[in-house]
Amino acid sequence: CALPICMIEQTRGRAQPAMAAYKDAIAREPKLAPALNNLALLTVETKGDLKQAEAWSREAVRLLPRAAQFHDSLATVLQARGQTTQALASAEAAMKLAPRDAALLWHVAQLTAEAGNKPKGRELAQKALTMAPSKPVAEQIRLWLAKG
């Protein structure tokens, strides 16, 4: 499948066909970093093999180390694996690459709190709100802050 077709399946919420299509694309082009990244995230979403998801995500980061979203995806995979400290390091690497991205800062805030520093996590979440995040991200942050 061509990468755009894989992504269409994914945006339609058809995880299994999208995953199969990404795997097919990777089989034909093993260095297709966006496919590796998206497959890793879909694997987390579908509660699949997280060890394999980490391998795909790490390969995507290795192939495109300046892609902030790939570092953030790796953070998501590591978080799902219960590796909060490593996840935070990966999310912070993403922030260094895209320091004005409110969604990335929001992820750093969540991981900071999860790692045990809730006051710093709240501070970072409030800072993310000042960075004009998308409406869904802003709503998530506000709900999280309201929970205390």
Side-chain angles (χ1 to χ4, degrees):
C1 126
L3 190 58
I5 294 171
C6 300
M7 295 169 86
I8 289 168
E9 291 290 353
Q10 185 176 357
T11 58
R12 288 182 177 163
R14 296 170 33 122
Q16 293 307 321
M19 289 176 73
Y22 282 127
K23 287 177 183 176
D24 183 56
I26 292 164
R28 284 190 263 131
E29 194 175 335
K31 294 183 179 184
L32 194 58
L36 290 161
N37 181 70
N38 293 356
L39 183 56
L41 288 176
L42 276 172
T43 301
V44 170
E45 288 174 21
T46 60
K47 299 181 182 2
D49 181 348
L50 296 179
K51 187 175 181 181
Q52 179 62 63
E54 182 179 346
W56 286 323
S57 190
R58 286 191 184 281
E59 180 64 3
V61 168
R62 187 188 70 75
L63 291 167
L64 288 174
R66 305 275 314 144
Q69 290 301 328
F70 291 2
H71 287 276
D72 189 57
S73 295
L74 177 58
T76 298
V77 172
L78 293 168
Q79 183 178 19
R81 293 198 71 194
Q83 298 173 5
T84 306
T85 303
Q86 288 182 320
L88 179 56
S90 190
E92 287 172 339
M95 274 304 306
K96 286 179 184 165
L97 293 167
R100 289 182 168 81
D101 189 319
L104 294 179
L105 182 56
W106 164 228
H107 198 190
V108 170
Q110 291 173 294
L111 288 166
T112 299
E114 192 175 307
N117 192 343
K118 290 183 178 162
K120 181 68 174 176
R122 290 183 61 78
E123 178 187 320
L124 293 171
Q126 289 168 340
K127 182 179 177 184
L129 273 177
T130 69
M131 298 170 67
S134 67
K135 187 175 179 178
V137 170
E139 288 174 9
Q140 288 175 8
I141 295 171
R142 286 187 187 99
L143 282 173
W144 187 79
L145 288 169
K147 288 181 183 177

